[in-house]
Amino acid sequence: MRRAILLGVWLTACAAKPPPPAPAPAPPTLPSPPPCERVERIEVRKSERTLVAECEGGARQVFTVALSREKGPKRAEGDQRIPEGDYRIGAAPRASRFHLFLPIDYPSPADAERALSEGRISSDERDAIAAAHRRGRMPPQDTALGGAVGFHGEGERWKGDLKLDWTEGCVALADEAIDWLAAHAPRHTPVAILP
């Protein structure tokens, strides 16, 4: 019996060790996206709560956003809704209680035509809105359609609350994101706001 145990120990000790496993292949190296020097187009996807900044050269930046408490497209001053349609960055960014504000050129000519057909603004107001757009200027902000709509940061009050809908008709981003957007999206950058 002792001889069998010694033989087993000797065979185990002399057994060839299995070779070490082959090293795992290195993961493929993906090319870095090109840097974003300038935003060519901004798309807000309200249903996804995202803002996509499309850059020259094909890069994209995607940001989570907070939206307004009221749902549906903006139609009137004080309705606390975010407009839907095609706009542009309307003016330079400015300081705001929400860190920074980047306005869009709301109301658009399409907003004005709709409001005129519904009897909410006059033909003179519609014409003033259309003329401002033709000249590349901000449209009147004091009609029944409202104004002062755009992108802004969180500010101190809403810091870290991008999961909530708390704005009164604007699209909110993290303060760092609005700083980035303001630095990369010049005036007249197209903005599409989708439902």
Side-chain angles (χ1 to χ4, degrees):
M1 171 89 162
R2 185 172 175 195
R3 183 187 266 187
I5 293 173
L6 286 174
L7 182 60
V9 169
W10 178 78
L11 287 174
T12 304
C14 293
K17 292 183 180 178
T29 304
L30 300 175
S32 298
C36 184
E37 300 295 327
R38 182 179 177 278
V39 172
E40 290 185 319
R41 182 175 181 274
I42 297 168
E43 185 173 281
V44 176
R45 300 172 184 169
K46 290 166 72 172
S47 64
E48 297 175 19
R49 301 173 57 85
T50 59
L51 180 148
V52 179
E54 299 173 2
C55 305
E56 285 180 338
R60 300 173 106 202
Q61 295 288 329
V62 180
F63 302 100
T64 299
V65 297
L67 303 172
S68 61
R69 294 177 185 106
E70 299 298 323
K71 304 304 171 206
K74 183 168 189 60
R75 294 286 186 253
E77 179 180 13
D79 66 7
Q80 298 187 349
R81 295 179 178 181
I82 297 170
E84 294 173 3
D86 295 317
Y87 304 94
R88 293 187 178 273
I89 299 295
R94 63 180 183 259
S96 159
R97 67 184 172 123
F98 300 112
H99 184 66
L100 193 69
F101 177 69
L102 186 60
I104 62 170
D105 63 355
Y106 171 85
S108 70
D111 295 320
E113 285 297 336
R114 183 181 314 104
L116 177 65
S117 71
E118 295 169 354
R120 294 185 290 120
I121 63 171
S122 69
S123 59
D124 287 345
E125 289 172 311
R126 185 263 330 257
D127 294 346
I129 291 168
H133 279 273
R134 280 194 306 275
R135 293 183 185 115
R137 297 186 179 157
M138 282 294 288
Q141 301 289 286
D142 59 352
T143 69
L145 299 177
V149 176
F151 306 107
H152 60 65
E154 303 162 293
E156 289 304 315
R157 167 65 179 91
W158 296 99
K159 196 69 139 170
D161 279 342
L162 292 179
K163 293 178 184 170
L164 302 175
D165 289 332
W166 54 266
T167 78
E168 295 181 1
C170 290
V171 176
L173 298 92
D175 290 347
E176 300 79 18
I178 191 65
D179 287 341
W180 184 92
L181 190 64
H184 291 83
R187 191 167 176 215
H188 304 300
T189 299
V191 176
I193 305 177
L194 309 176

